[in-house]
Amino acid sequence: MSENSSLFSNNNAKTQGSNHQGKLVGYGTADQQDNQYKHEETNDDEKEIDQAVVSINENEKVEKKSFWDRFEIPIKSLAFVVGCLVMIASGTHYAFSSISPSIKKQLGYTQIEVNTIGTMANLGTYFGLPISLVNDFAGSRICAIVSGVMFFTGYFLFLLLLNGVMPNHYIVAGLFFLLMGQGSAGGFLSSMSTNLKNISEKYRGVVVGVLASSFGISSAIFSALFTYVFDHELTSYVLFTSISGGIIIGVFGALFLTTFTKKTPPKPVDTKVETNQEDEQNIVKTEDGLNPAESKDSLVNNEAQVEEDSYLIHEGKKKPSFIQRIINLFKVDDSNPNEVPVYNPFTMLLTLDFYLIFTIFAIGAGCGLIVINNLGSIVIAYGGVNGQQSLMVILVSVFNCLGRILFGVLSDIFKNPKYHLTRVTFLCIAMILMCISQYLFAFMPLNGLYPLCVLMGIAYGGIFAMSPSFVSERFSAKYFGMNLSIVNLSAAVGSYAMATGLAGSLYQHEIIEPRVTTCRGRDCFETTFFISTGICCFGIILCLILMHRSRWIYWLQYRKNLAAKKLQ
Protein backbone atom coordinates (compact mmCIF):
# COMPACT_ATOMS: atom_id res chain seq x y z
CA MET A 1 0.00 0.00 0.00
CA SER A 2 2.69 2.50 0.98
CA GLU A 3 4.77 1.40 -2.00
CA ASN A 4 2.02 2.25 -4.44
CA SER A 5 1.30 5.60 -2.78
CA SER A 6 4.97 6.50 -2.83
CA LEU A 7 5.25 5.32 -6.41
CA PHE A 8 2.42 7.47 -7.65
CA SER A 9 3.66 10.44 -5.63
CA ASN A 10 7.03 10.08 -7.33
CA ASN A 11 5.42 9.88 -10.75
CA ASN A 12 3.36 12.97 -10.03
CA ALA A 13 6.46 14.73 -8.75
CA LYS A 14 8.25 13.92 -12.01
CA THR A 15 5.36 15.35 -14.01
CA GLN A 16 5.34 18.48 -11.88
CA GLY A 17 9.12 18.71 -12.13
CA SER A 18 8.97 18.82 -15.92
CA ASN A 19 6.37 21.60 -15.77
CA HIS A 20 8.48 23.39 -13.17
CA GLN A 21 11.53 23.21 -15.37
CA GLY A 22 9.69 24.45 -18.41
CA LYS A 23 7.98 27.40 -16.77
CA LEU A 24 10.03 28.46 -13.81
CA VAL A 25 13.61 27.69 -14.68
CA GLY A 26 13.15 28.14 -18.39
CA TYR A 27 13.50 31.87 -17.79
CA GLY A 28 10.08 32.73 -19.20
CA THR A 29 8.51 36.09 -18.69
CA ALA A 30 7.35 37.19 -15.26
CA ASP A 31 3.72 37.12 -16.47
CA GLN A 32 4.06 33.48 -17.50
CA GLN A 33 5.60 32.54 -14.15
CA ASP A 34 3.00 34.55 -12.26
CA ASN A 35 0.04 33.09 -14.17
CA GLN A 36 1.24 29.56 -13.39
CA TYR A 37 0.46 30.10 -9.70
CA LYS A 38 -2.48 32.46 -9.99
CA HIS A 39 -5.57 30.20 -9.93
CA GLU A 40 -5.45 28.77 -6.44
CA GLU A 41 -9.14 27.90 -6.12
CA THR A 42 -9.61 25.91 -9.34
CA ASN A 43 -10.16 22.17 -9.53
CA ASP A 44 -6.74 21.54 -11.09
CA ASP A 45 -5.08 23.35 -8.23
CA GLU A 46 -6.96 21.29 -5.67
CA LYS A 47 -5.65 18.13 -7.33
CA GLU A 48 -2.08 19.45 -7.20
CA ILE A 49 -2.51 20.34 -3.52
CA ASP A 50 -3.76 16.81 -2.85
CA GLN A 51 -0.68 15.44 -4.60
CA ALA A 52 1.51 17.69 -2.48
CA VAL A 53 -0.24 16.38 0.63
CA VAL A 54 0.61 12.80 -0.40
CA SER A 55 4.22 13.82 -1.06
CA ILE A 56 4.54 15.55 2.30
CA ASN A 57 2.99 12.58 4.06
CA GLU A 58 5.49 10.18 2.50
CA ASN A 59 8.58 12.33 2.93
CA GLU A 60 7.93 13.88 6.34
CA LYS A 61 6.70 11.06 8.54
CA VAL A 62 7.03 11.65 12.25
CA GLU A 63 9.85 9.58 13.63
CA LYS A 64 10.05 8.30 17.17
CA LYS A 65 11.91 10.84 19.27
CA SER A 66 15.37 9.87 20.38
CA PHE A 67 17.05 10.92 23.62
CA TRP A 68 18.70 13.97 22.02
CA ASP A 69 15.45 15.15 20.46
CA ARG A 70 14.31 16.18 23.94
CA PHE A 71 16.96 18.91 23.90
CA GLU A 72 15.89 20.35 20.56
CA ILE A 73 14.12 23.44 21.96
CA PRO A 74 16.82 24.33 24.55
CA ILE A 75 19.61 23.95 21.96
CA LYS A 76 17.80 26.06 19.38
CA SER A 77 16.80 28.69 21.97
CA LEU A 78 20.36 29.01 23.27
CA ALA A 79 21.70 29.31 19.73
CA PHE A 80 19.16 32.07 19.05
CA VAL A 81 20.06 34.05 22.20
CA VAL A 82 23.80 33.74 21.59
CA GLY A 83 23.16 34.61 17.95
CA CYS A 84 21.60 37.90 19.05
CA LEU A 85 24.65 38.65 21.25
CA VAL A 86 27.00 37.86 18.37
CA MET A 87 24.97 40.21 16.16
CA ILE A 88 25.30 43.02 18.71
CA ALA A 89 29.07 42.54 18.91
CA SER A 90 29.32 42.41 15.11
CA GLY A 91 27.53 45.70 14.44
CA THR A 92 30.01 48.12 16.04
CA HIS A 93 30.88 49.70 12.68
CA TYR A 94 27.44 51.36 12.78
CA ALA A 95 28.75 53.49 15.67
CA PHE A 96 31.47 54.91 13.42
CA SER A 97 29.70 58.27 13.10
CA SER A 98 30.00 58.71 16.88
CA ILE A 99 33.76 58.19 16.89
CA SER A 100 34.55 59.73 13.47
CA PRO A 101 34.86 63.34 14.76
CA SER A 102 37.32 62.12 17.42
CA ILE A 103 39.30 60.17 14.79
CA LYS A 104 39.28 63.22 12.54
CA LYS A 105 40.54 65.50 15.29
CA GLN A 106 43.04 63.13 16.96
CA LEU A 107 44.67 61.86 13.76
CA GLY A 108 44.27 65.01 11.63
CA TYR A 109 42.30 63.46 8.77
CA THR A 110 40.04 65.26 6.25
CA GLN A 111 36.35 64.42 5.81
CA ILE A 112 37.02 62.34 2.69
CA GLU A 113 39.77 60.42 4.50
CA VAL A 114 37.50 59.71 7.47
CA ASN A 115 34.71 58.64 5.12
CA THR A 116 37.15 56.34 3.33
CA ILE A 117 37.93 54.60 6.63
CA GLY A 118 34.21 54.14 7.28
CA THR A 119 33.69 52.84 3.75
CA MET A 120 36.46 50.26 4.17
CA ALA A 121 34.80 49.08 7.37
CA ASN A 122 31.54 48.73 5.41
CA LEU A 123 33.38 46.95 2.60
CA GLY A 124 34.79 44.39 5.02
CA THR A 125 31.38 43.89 6.61
CA TYR A 126 29.24 43.69 3.49
CA PHE A 127 31.63 41.81 1.23
CA GLY A 128 31.84 38.68 3.33
CA LEU A 129 32.46 36.20 0.50
CA PRO A 130 35.86 35.02 1.83
CA ILE A 131 34.51 34.39 5.34
CA SER A 132 31.27 32.97 3.94
CA LEU A 133 33.30 30.18 2.32
CA VAL A 134 34.52 29.27 5.80
CA ASN A 135 30.95 29.36 7.09
CA ASP A 136 29.46 27.25 4.29
CA PHE A 137 32.20 24.60 4.13
CA ALA A 138 33.68 24.50 7.64
CA GLY A 139 30.56 25.31 9.67
CA SER A 140 29.36 28.20 11.80
CA ARG A 141 31.53 27.32 14.81
CA ILE A 142 34.81 27.47 12.90
CA CYS A 143 33.56 30.62 11.19
CA ALA A 144 32.88 32.20 14.59
CA ILE A 145 36.42 31.43 15.81
CA VAL A 146 38.04 32.90 12.68
CA SER A 147 35.74 35.92 12.80
CA GLY A 148 36.50 36.62 16.46
CA VAL A 149 40.24 36.59 15.77
CA MET A 150 39.87 38.99 12.82
CA PHE A 151 37.57 41.31 14.77
CA PHE A 152 39.99 41.55 17.69
CA THR A 153 43.04 41.94 15.43
CA GLY A 154 41.50 44.75 13.38
CA TYR A 155 40.54 46.87 16.38
CA PHE A 156 43.76 46.13 18.26
CA LEU A 157 45.94 47.19 15.31
CA PHE A 158 43.97 50.43 15.07
CA LEU A 159 44.62 50.92 18.78
CA LEU A 160 48.36 50.64 18.09
CA LEU A 161 47.97 53.26 15.35
CA LEU A 162 46.26 55.61 17.82
CA ASN A 163 49.18 55.16 20.23
CA GLY A 164 51.78 55.91 17.54
CA VAL A 165 53.12 52.38 17.25
CA MET A 166 51.80 51.92 13.69
CA PRO A 167 52.25 54.47 10.85
CA ASN A 168 49.57 57.17 10.89
CA HIS A 169 47.92 57.04 7.46
CA TYR A 170 44.22 56.84 6.67
CA ILE A 171 44.76 53.93 4.24
CA VAL A 172 46.49 51.93 6.98
CA ALA A 173 43.65 52.73 9.38
CA GLY A 174 41.17 51.74 6.68
CA LEU A 175 42.86 48.37 6.23
CA PHE A 176 42.54 47.71 9.95
CA PHE A 177 38.84 48.54 9.80
CA LEU A 178 38.52 46.34 6.72
CA LEU A 179 39.87 43.41 8.75
CA MET A 180 37.51 44.25 11.59
CA GLY A 181 34.64 44.34 9.07
CA GLN A 182 35.47 40.85 7.87
CA GLY A 183 35.19 39.66 11.46
CA SER A 184 31.82 41.40 11.74
CA ALA A 185 30.65 39.75 8.52
CA GLY A 186 31.65 36.33 9.84
CA GLY A 187 29.78 36.90 13.08
CA PHE A 188 26.70 37.98 11.14
CA LEU A 189 26.80 34.98 8.80
CA SER A 190 27.49 32.36 11.47
CA SER A 191 24.61 33.64 13.59
CA MET A 192 22.16 34.08 10.72
CA SER A 193 22.88 30.77 8.97
CA THR A 194 22.72 28.76 12.19
CA ASN A 195 19.32 30.12 13.18
CA LEU A 196 17.87 29.93 9.67
CA LYS A 197 18.66 26.22 9.68
CA ASN A 198 17.22 25.76 13.17
CA ILE A 199 13.97 27.69 12.69
CA SER A 200 11.16 26.64 10.34
CA GLU A 201 10.23 28.66 7.27
CA LYS A 202 7.01 29.83 8.94
CA TYR A 203 8.91 32.09 11.34
CA ARG A 204 11.72 33.09 8.98
CA GLY A 205 10.71 36.76 8.79
CA VAL A 206 10.55 37.12 12.57
CA VAL A 207 13.86 35.36 13.14
CA VAL A 208 15.66 37.40 10.49
CA GLY A 209 14.06 40.56 11.85
CA VAL A 210 15.15 39.96 15.45
CA LEU A 211 18.68 38.94 14.48
CA ALA A 212 19.05 41.85 12.08
CA SER A 213 17.65 44.23 14.71
CA SER A 214 20.29 43.03 17.17
CA PHE A 215 22.88 43.83 14.52
CA GLY A 216 21.36 47.28 14.07
CA ILE A 217 21.00 48.19 17.75
CA SER A 218 24.71 47.63 18.27
CA SER A 219 25.44 51.26 17.38
CA ALA A 220 23.09 52.51 20.10
CA ILE A 221 24.84 50.38 22.71
CA PHE A 222 28.39 51.22 21.68
CA SER A 223 27.62 54.90 21.02
CA ALA A 224 26.21 55.17 24.53
CA LEU A 225 29.31 53.44 25.91
CA PHE A 226 31.60 55.81 24.01
CA THR A 227 29.69 58.91 25.16
CA TYR A 228 28.61 58.14 28.73
CA VAL A 229 31.02 55.46 29.95
CA PHE A 230 34.30 56.34 28.22
CA ASP A 231 33.52 60.11 27.95
CA HIS A 232 34.74 60.29 24.31
CA GLU A 233 38.08 58.68 25.23
CA LEU A 234 38.84 56.92 21.94
CA THR A 235 41.77 54.73 23.08
CA SER A 236 39.91 53.11 26.00
CA TYR A 237 36.81 52.59 23.87
CA VAL A 238 38.73 50.82 21.09
CA LEU A 239 40.48 48.54 23.61
CA PHE A 240 37.19 47.58 25.24
CA THR A 241 35.48 46.95 21.89
CA SER A 242 38.29 44.74 20.60
CA ILE A 243 38.33 42.50 23.68
CA SER A 244 34.57 42.24 24.28
CA GLY A 245 33.75 41.68 20.61
CA GLY A 246 36.48 39.09 20.16
CA ILE A 247 35.24 37.08 23.15
CA ILE A 248 31.54 37.21 22.23
CA ILE A 249 32.06 36.32 18.55
CA GLY A 250 35.00 33.95 18.84
CA VAL A 251 34.30 32.16 22.13
CA PHE A 252 30.53 32.31 22.68
CA GLY A 253 29.85 31.74 19.00
CA ALA A 254 32.11 28.70 18.86
CA LEU A 255 30.47 27.16 21.93
CA PHE A 256 26.78 27.81 21.36
CA LEU A 257 26.06 28.40 17.65
CA THR A 258 24.91 24.83 17.15
CA THR A 259 22.75 23.56 14.30
CA PHE A 260 20.26 20.99 15.57
CA THR A 261 19.69 18.26 12.98
CA LYS A 262 17.72 15.07 13.23
CA LYS A 263 19.40 12.06 11.67
CA THR A 264 16.72 10.00 9.97
CA PRO A 265 17.82 6.52 8.88
CA PRO A 266 17.31 5.80 5.17
CA LYS A 267 14.25 3.83 4.24
CA PRO A 268 14.98 0.22 3.33
CA VAL A 269 14.26 -0.77 -0.25
CA ASP A 270 11.45 -3.27 -0.24
CA THR A 271 11.11 -5.16 -3.50
CA LYS A 272 8.21 -7.32 -2.35
CA VAL A 273 4.96 -6.90 -4.25
CA GLU A 274 1.68 -7.57 -2.46
CA THR A 275 -0.20 -10.52 -3.85
CA ASN A 276 -3.65 -9.40 -2.80
CA GLN A 277 -4.73 -7.96 -6.15
CA GLU A 278 -8.20 -6.98 -4.97
CA ASP A 279 -6.92 -4.93 -2.02
CA GLU A 280 -4.28 -3.38 -4.24
CA GLN A 281 -6.91 -2.27 -6.73
CA ASN A 282 -9.04 -0.70 -4.02
CA ILE A 283 -6.07 1.14 -2.57
CA VAL A 284 -4.98 2.49 -5.92
CA LYS A 285 -8.42 3.55 -7.01
CA THR A 286 -9.25 5.21 -3.72
CA GLU A 287 -6.01 7.15 -3.23
CA ASP A 288 -4.75 7.86 -6.72
CA GLY A 289 -7.51 7.07 -9.19
CA LEU A 290 -5.10 5.11 -11.41
CA ASN A 291 -5.27 1.69 -12.99
CA PRO A 292 -3.59 -1.19 -11.10
CA ALA A 293 -1.95 -2.42 -14.28
CA GLU A 294 -0.30 0.94 -14.74
CA SER A 295 1.05 0.81 -11.18
CA LYS A 296 2.67 -2.59 -11.83
CA ASP A 297 4.24 -1.36 -15.04
CA SER A 298 5.57 1.70 -13.26
CA LEU A 299 6.96 -0.46 -10.47
CA VAL A 300 8.74 -2.70 -12.93
CA ASN A 301 10.15 0.30 -14.77
CA ASN A 302 11.38 1.87 -11.51
CA GLU A 303 13.07 -1.36 -10.43
CA ALA A 304 14.73 -1.61 -13.82
CA GLN A 305 15.93 1.95 -13.49
CA VAL A 306 17.39 1.22 -10.05
CA GLU A 307 19.25 -1.80 -11.45
CA GLU A 308 20.51 0.28 -14.37
CA ASP A 309 21.71 3.07 -12.04
CA SER A 310 23.47 0.52 -9.82
CA TYR A 311 25.17 -0.98 -12.86
CA LEU A 312 26.37 2.43 -14.00
CA ILE A 313 27.73 3.24 -10.55
CA HIS A 314 29.67 -0.05 -10.40
CA GLU A 315 30.99 0.50 -13.91
CA GLY A 316 32.15 4.00 -12.98
CA LYS A 317 30.10 5.68 -15.72
CA LYS A 318 28.13 7.89 -13.33
CA LYS A 319 31.08 9.78 -11.96
CA PRO A 320 31.17 13.17 -13.73
CA SER A 321 34.34 14.39 -15.35
CA PHE A 322 36.12 17.57 -14.33
CA ILE A 323 34.61 19.46 -17.26
CA GLN A 324 31.17 18.16 -16.39
CA ARG A 325 31.57 19.34 -12.79
CA ILE A 326 32.49 22.79 -14.09
CA ILE A 327 29.41 22.79 -16.32
CA ASN A 328 27.25 21.71 -13.37
CA LEU A 329 28.30 24.83 -11.50
CA PHE A 330 26.22 26.82 -13.98
CA LYS A 331 23.15 24.60 -13.75
CA VAL A 332 20.14 25.38 -11.58
CA ASP A 333 19.01 22.56 -9.28
CA ASP A 334 15.27 22.32 -9.98
CA SER A 335 14.84 18.66 -9.02
CA ASN A 336 12.16 19.39 -6.40
CA PRO A 337 9.01 20.82 -8.01
CA ASN A 338 7.58 21.81 -4.63
CA GLU A 339 10.52 24.07 -3.77
CA VAL A 340 12.18 27.10 -5.29
CA PRO A 341 15.09 26.11 -7.58
CA VAL A 342 18.49 26.10 -5.87
CA TYR A 343 20.90 28.74 -7.15
CA ASN A 344 24.59 28.71 -6.32
CA PRO A 345 26.60 31.97 -6.65
CA PHE A 346 27.40 31.25 -10.32
CA THR A 347 23.82 30.62 -11.41
CA MET A 348 22.56 33.49 -9.27
CA LEU A 349 24.79 35.90 -11.22
CA LEU A 350 23.01 34.84 -14.43
CA THR A 351 19.58 36.01 -13.25
CA LEU A 352 18.06 39.45 -13.75
CA ASP A 353 16.54 39.37 -10.27
CA PHE A 354 20.02 39.35 -8.74
CA TYR A 355 20.97 42.59 -10.46
CA LEU A 356 17.67 44.17 -9.48
CA ILE A 357 18.05 43.35 -5.77
CA PHE A 358 21.74 44.29 -5.93
CA THR A 359 20.95 47.76 -7.30
CA ILE A 360 18.01 48.31 -4.95
CA PHE A 361 20.07 47.31 -1.94
CA ALA A 362 22.98 49.51 -3.04
CA ILE A 363 20.68 52.53 -3.33
CA GLY A 364 18.84 51.93 -0.04
CA ALA A 365 21.96 51.15 1.98
CA GLY A 366 23.95 53.95 0.33
CA CYS A 367 21.31 56.58 1.14
CA GLY A 368 21.14 55.38 4.75
CA LEU A 369 24.92 55.39 5.10
CA ILE A 370 25.07 59.01 3.90
CA VAL A 371 23.43 59.88 7.21
CA ILE A 372 24.99 57.17 9.39
CA ASN A 373 28.61 57.77 8.33
CA ASN A 374 28.32 61.57 8.23
CA LEU A 375 25.95 62.29 11.11
CA GLY A 376 28.68 63.94 13.20
CA SER A 377 29.60 66.26 10.34
CA ILE A 378 25.93 66.94 9.53
CA VAL A 379 25.28 68.08 13.11
CA ILE A 380 28.29 70.43 13.09
CA ALA A 381 27.37 71.78 9.63
CA TYR A 382 23.81 72.50 10.77
CA GLY A 383 25.04 74.50 13.77
CA GLY A 384 25.50 71.82 16.44
CA VAL A 385 28.56 70.78 18.44
CA ASN A 386 30.65 67.61 18.58
CA GLY A 387 28.94 65.08 20.85
CA GLN A 388 25.43 66.25 20.02
CA GLN A 389 25.22 63.55 17.38
CA SER A 390 25.43 60.78 19.97
CA LEU A 391 21.72 60.93 20.80
CA MET A 392 20.88 60.94 17.09
CA VAL A 393 23.08 57.89 16.54
CA ILE A 394 21.24 56.14 19.35
CA LEU A 395 17.87 57.08 17.79
CA VAL A 396 18.95 55.77 14.39
CA SER A 397 20.18 52.56 16.00
CA VAL A 398 17.10 51.93 18.15
CA PHE A 399 14.63 52.55 15.34
CA ASN A 400 16.85 50.65 12.93
CA CYS A 401 16.40 47.74 15.33
CA LEU A 402 12.64 48.28 15.60
CA GLY A 403 12.33 48.67 11.84
CA ARG A 404 13.94 45.28 11.25
CA ILE A 405 11.59 43.60 13.70
CA LEU A 406 8.55 45.51 12.43
CA PHE A 407 9.11 44.74 8.77
CA GLY A 408 9.99 41.12 9.54
CA VAL A 409 6.81 40.54 11.54
CA LEU A 410 4.51 42.45 9.18
CA SER A 411 5.88 40.66 6.13
CA ASP A 412 5.20 37.30 7.82
CA ILE A 413 1.66 38.25 8.83
CA PHE A 414 0.44 40.01 5.70
CA LYS A 415 2.45 38.20 3.01
CA ASN A 416 -0.11 37.08 0.44
CA PRO A 417 0.52 37.00 -3.33
CA LYS A 418 -3.22 37.17 -4.04
CA TYR A 419 -3.12 40.79 -2.89
CA HIS A 420 0.34 41.56 -4.29
CA LEU A 421 1.84 41.49 -0.79
CA THR A 422 5.30 39.88 -0.84
CA ARG A 423 8.67 40.55 0.76
CA VAL A 424 9.49 42.90 -2.09
CA THR A 425 6.30 44.87 -1.38
CA PHE A 426 7.59 45.69 2.09
CA LEU A 427 11.04 46.40 0.66
CA CYS A 428 9.35 48.93 -1.62
CA ILE A 429 7.61 50.54 1.38
CA ALA A 430 10.98 50.86 3.15
CA MET A 431 12.47 52.51 0.05
CA ILE A 432 9.62 55.04 -0.04
CA LEU A 433 10.26 55.95 3.61
CA MET A 434 13.97 56.31 2.84
CA CYS A 435 13.19 58.62 -0.08
CA ILE A 436 11.01 60.85 2.11
CA SER A 437 13.66 61.07 4.83
CA GLN A 438 16.40 61.99 2.33
CA TYR A 439 14.28 64.82 0.93
CA LEU A 440 13.45 66.22 4.37
CA PHE A 441 17.10 66.13 5.53
CA ALA A 442 17.80 68.92 3.02
CA PHE A 443 15.33 71.31 4.71
CA MET A 444 15.03 70.42 8.38
CA PRO A 445 16.76 72.59 11.02
CA LEU A 446 19.03 71.01 13.62
CA ASN A 447 16.28 70.15 16.11
CA GLY A 448 14.21 68.64 13.32
CA LEU A 449 16.88 66.03 12.68
CA TYR A 450 15.73 63.96 15.66
CA PRO A 451 12.40 62.79 14.13
CA LEU A 452 14.15 62.34 10.79
CA CYS A 453 16.63 59.99 12.46
CA VAL A 454 13.63 57.97 13.66
CA LEU A 455 12.11 57.80 10.16
CA MET A 456 15.40 57.03 8.46
CA GLY A 457 16.23 54.35 11.05
CA ILE A 458 12.93 52.54 10.42
CA ALA A 459 13.46 52.67 6.66
CA TYR A 460 17.06 51.49 6.89
CA GLY A 461 16.07 48.63 9.17
CA GLY A 462 13.28 47.58 6.83
CA ILE A 463 15.66 47.42 3.87
CA PHE A 464 18.15 45.27 5.77
CA ALA A 465 15.40 43.00 7.14
CA MET A 466 13.83 42.24 3.75
CA SER A 467 16.98 41.66 1.71
CA PRO A 468 18.23 38.48 3.50
CA SER A 469 14.71 37.01 3.51
CA PHE A 470 14.31 37.66 -0.21
CA VAL A 471 17.72 36.17 -1.03
CA SER A 472 16.93 32.94 0.84
CA GLU A 473 13.47 32.68 -0.73
CA ARG A 474 14.43 33.60 -4.29
CA PHE A 475 17.70 31.68 -4.55
CA SER A 476 17.05 29.05 -1.79
CA ALA A 477 18.84 28.69 1.54
CA LYS A 478 21.39 26.05 0.48
CA TYR A 479 24.05 28.59 -0.57
CA PHE A 480 22.65 31.37 1.60
CA GLY A 481 26.01 32.43 3.06
CA MET A 482 27.78 32.95 -0.26
CA ASN A 483 24.74 34.37 -2.04
CA LEU A 484 24.03 36.89 0.71
CA SER A 485 27.68 37.90 0.85
CA ILE A 486 27.60 38.76 -2.84
CA VAL A 487 24.35 40.70 -2.49
CA ASN A 488 25.69 42.51 0.60
CA LEU A 489 28.58 43.76 -1.51
CA SER A 490 26.04 46.21 -2.93
CA ALA A 491 25.93 47.97 0.46
CA ALA A 492 29.70 48.53 0.27
CA VAL A 493 29.31 49.82 -3.30
CA GLY A 494 26.53 52.17 -2.17
CA SER A 495 28.60 53.29 0.81
CA TYR A 496 31.59 54.26 -1.32
CA ALA A 497 29.58 55.78 -4.17
CA MET A 498 27.18 57.81 -2.03
CA ALA A 499 28.50 58.22 1.53
CA THR A 500 32.12 58.80 0.46
CA GLY A 501 32.15 59.75 -3.22
CA LEU A 502 29.02 61.91 -3.35
CA ALA A 503 28.66 63.28 0.20
CA GLY A 504 32.40 63.53 0.95
CA SER A 505 33.29 65.30 -2.29
CA LEU A 506 30.45 67.83 -2.10
CA TYR A 507 31.23 68.46 1.57
CA GLN A 508 34.89 69.14 0.82
CA HIS A 509 33.91 71.40 -2.09
CA GLU A 510 31.78 73.60 0.18
CA ILE A 511 34.55 74.28 2.74
CA ILE A 512 35.31 78.01 2.88
CA GLU A 513 38.85 79.18 3.59
CA PRO A 514 40.63 79.51 5.95
CA ARG A 515 39.00 76.28 7.15
CA VAL A 516 40.55 73.11 5.76
CA THR A 517 38.62 70.15 7.20
CA THR A 518 35.34 71.55 8.60
CA CYS A 519 32.36 72.84 6.61
CA ARG A 520 29.68 75.07 8.13
CA GLY A 521 26.21 75.72 6.75
CA ARG A 522 23.31 73.88 5.14
CA ASP A 523 25.02 73.96 1.73
CA CYS A 524 27.48 71.31 2.96
CA PHE A 525 24.90 68.53 2.52
CA GLU A 526 21.87 70.09 0.81
CA THR A 527 22.88 69.13 -2.75
CA THR A 528 23.81 65.63 -1.57
CA PHE A 529 20.33 65.00 -0.18
CA PHE A 530 18.62 66.30 -3.34
CA ILE A 531 20.66 63.90 -5.47
CA SER A 532 20.07 60.97 -3.10
CA THR A 533 16.31 61.66 -3.23
CA GLY A 534 16.33 61.30 -7.01
CA ILE A 535 18.36 58.10 -6.80
CA CYS A 536 15.86 56.72 -4.25
CA CYS A 537 13.00 57.35 -6.68
CA PHE A 538 14.83 55.25 -9.25
CA GLY A 539 15.24 52.51 -6.63
CA ILE A 540 11.48 52.52 -5.99
CA ILE A 541 10.82 51.90 -9.70
CA LEU A 542 13.23 48.94 -9.62
CA CYS A 543 11.38 47.59 -6.55
CA LEU A 544 8.09 47.61 -8.44
CA ILE A 545 9.69 45.68 -11.31
CA LEU A 546 11.18 43.10 -8.93
CA MET A 547 7.89 42.77 -7.07
CA HIS A 548 6.12 41.86 -10.32
CA ARG A 549 8.84 39.45 -11.44
CA SER A 550 9.10 37.54 -8.15
CA ARG A 551 5.45 36.92 -7.34
CA TRP A 552 5.69 33.33 -8.57
CA ILE A 553 7.95 32.48 -5.60
CA TYR A 554 5.25 33.47 -3.15
CA TRP A 555 2.53 31.68 -5.13
CA LEU A 556 4.64 28.55 -4.72
CA GLN A 557 4.88 29.13 -0.96
CA TYR A 558 1.16 29.88 -0.81
CA ARG A 559 0.28 26.56 -2.41
CA LYS A 560 2.67 24.72 -0.14
CA ASN A 561 1.01 26.30 2.92
CA LEU A 562 -2.42 25.28 1.63
CA ALA A 563 -1.18 21.71 1.32
CA ALA A 564 0.22 21.82 4.86
CA LYS A 565 -3.13 23.06 6.20
CA LYS A 566 -4.89 20.12 4.57
CA LEU A 567 -2.65 17.77 6.52
CA GLN A 568 -3.99 19.27 9.73
Side-chain angles (χ1 to χ4, degrees), residues 174-331:
L175 291 175
F176 296 157
F177 272 87
L178 177 70
L179 182 61
M180 178 276 298
Q182 277 288 289
S184 297
F188 179 93
L189 286 173
S190 59
S191 174
M192 186 70 75
S193 61
T194 298
N195 286 282
L196 280 178
K197 292 174 183 176
N198 284 340
I199 307 298
S200 65
E201 182 183 284
K202 181 179 179 181
Y203 303 102
R204 181 174 294 168
V206 177
V207 171
V208 171
V210 173
L211 291 173
S213 67
S214 301
F215 190 67
I217 204 171
S218 174
S219 60
I221 297 173
F222 284 89
S223 293
L225 289 173
F226 177 69
T227 302
Y228 303 112
V229 177
F230 295 100
D231 195 22
H232 297 90
E233 175 58 37
L234 188 60
T235 303
S236 302
Y237 167 79
V238 172
L239 177 62
F240 169 80
T241 306
S242 63
I243 296 175
S244 61
I247 292 175
I248 293 175
I249 298 173
V251 179
F252 287 8
L255 292 176
F256 302 112
L257 288 181
T258 305
T259 302
F260 186 90
T261 56
K262 295 180 180 180
K263 295 183 179 179
T264 305
K267 295 180 180 180
V269 179
D270 190 2
T271 58
K272 294 180 181 180
V273 180
E274 295 181 8
T275 57
N276 192 338
Q277 301 294 332
E278 184 177 355
D279 291 343
E280 190 173 319
Q281 287 182 357
N282 293 333
I283 292 169
V284 172
K285 287 182 180 179
T286 302
E287 295 187 353
D288 298 275
L290 297 179
N291 191 286
E294 295 177 357
S295 68
K296 291 181 181 179
D297 293 340
S298 301
L299 183 60
V300 171
N301 291 336
N302 282 353
E303 290 178 349
Q305 183 66 40
V306 170
E307 292 178 1
E308 181 181 356
D309 290 346
S310 301
Y311 171 77
L312 290 174
I313 291 173
H314 288 303
E315 290 295 318
K317 296 180 181 179
K318 270 231 165 196
K319 185 177 180 181
S321 64
F322 175 76
I323 296 177
Q324 186 62 42
R325 288 199 296 268
I326 296 296
I327 295 175
N328 290 339
L329 290 176
F330 296 92
K331 288 185 177 180

